[in-house]
Structures are given as C-alpha cells and as structure tokens.
C-alpha cells in the first residue's frame, strides 16, 4: 500500500486547510483509513477515521471543525480542517489498515504515509 499526503502548510488561527492522501496498492477490498497527527509534546493522536462501512470517528478536540471524507473510487482520502487552532499544529499522517473496522490503537495501523506538516500561527 502506498499513501502520499499533500495539502499541509502554514495558516493563521481560524483558517482552513484541506489535506489529501492518494492511496494505492490495496490487496484487499475492506480497509479503514485515518488521519493521525504527531507532535514532540503530545505524541501521536488519532484525529479522524473512516471505516469500510463509511462510519466516521473524530477526536473530541476536532469535532465540528474537521471532516474526513473519501472520493467515490476510494483512491483519495481528505481531511477538511476549518477554524484551525495553534494546538492543531502537527505532522499529519494518512494511515490505513485492512479490515471492516478501524484499529482501536494507533500502533495497530500497518501503513503510513510520509506525513504533511501543518503550522498554525496566532
């Protein structure tokens, strides 16, 4: 599986960014996809997930501001981030794991992209 993120950048607080993840090379038809962010201070945090059945989950800190979605071909994963806050600044990784449901723990994801940096200034 190959995951390639794009769309990161620097924005002011209150701004928006849309991250994209081009996904390819799946060997099975059922898989979960997610966005995980990482900072030296907080470590890794699961931001949003999209299960094979289309159900989504969000971290409490981003609910109402972030939206995870996928194109119809399931080849591109998106994360629309609105009303960004300085605490959203992190390296954002696209991840995937085979199966109907999403992993319970971040460490269970087997496939990761290279990450895209998001910086939010006051």
């Amino acid at each position: 599986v190959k995951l390639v993120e794009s769309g990161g950048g620097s924005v002011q607080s209150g701004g928006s960014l849309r991250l994209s993840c081009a996904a390819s090379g799946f060997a099975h038809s059922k898989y979960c996809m997610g966005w995980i962010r990482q900072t030296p201070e907080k470590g890794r945090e699961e931001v949003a997930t999209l299960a094979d059945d289309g159900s989504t989950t969000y971290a409490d800190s981003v609910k109402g501001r972030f939206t995870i979605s996928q194109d119809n071909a399931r080849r591109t994963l998106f994360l629309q981030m609105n009303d960004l806050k300085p605490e959203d600044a992190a390296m954002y990784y696209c991840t995937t794991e085979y199966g109907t449901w999403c992993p319970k723990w971040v460490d269970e994801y087997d496939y990761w992209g290279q990450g895209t940096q998001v910086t939010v200034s006051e």
Side-chain angles (χ1 to χ4, degrees), residues 31-94:
Y31 50 87
C32 160
M33 296 202 73
W35 289 98
I36 293 169
R37 62 188 180 188
Q38 183 171 6
T39 64
E41 298 79 20
K42 298 179 183 178
R44 291 191 290 186
E45 177 188 23
E46 186 178 81
V47 176
T49 67
L50 176 60
D52 188 76
D53 68 351
S55 59
T56 58
T57 65
Y58 295 93
D60 287 343
S61 58
V62 307
K63 283 180 181 177
R65 300 188 297 121
F66 290 12
T67 303
I68 188 171
S69 63
Q70 198 171 41
D71 68 342
N72 289 338
R74 302 190 72 192
R75 297 191 185 280
T76 307
L77 183 72
F78 303 101
L79 185 67
Q80 178 66 44
M81 304 187 295
N82 298 329
D83 189 23
L84 282 160
K85 306 176 185 299
E87 52 264 40
D88 294 318
M91 182 70 81
Y92 283 73
Y93 295 93
C94 175

Side-chain angles (χ1 to χ4, degrees), residues 9-23:
S10 297
V11 295
Q12 290 189 321
S13 183
S16 297
L17 283 174
R18 189 191 197 201
L19 305 184
S20 298
C21 171

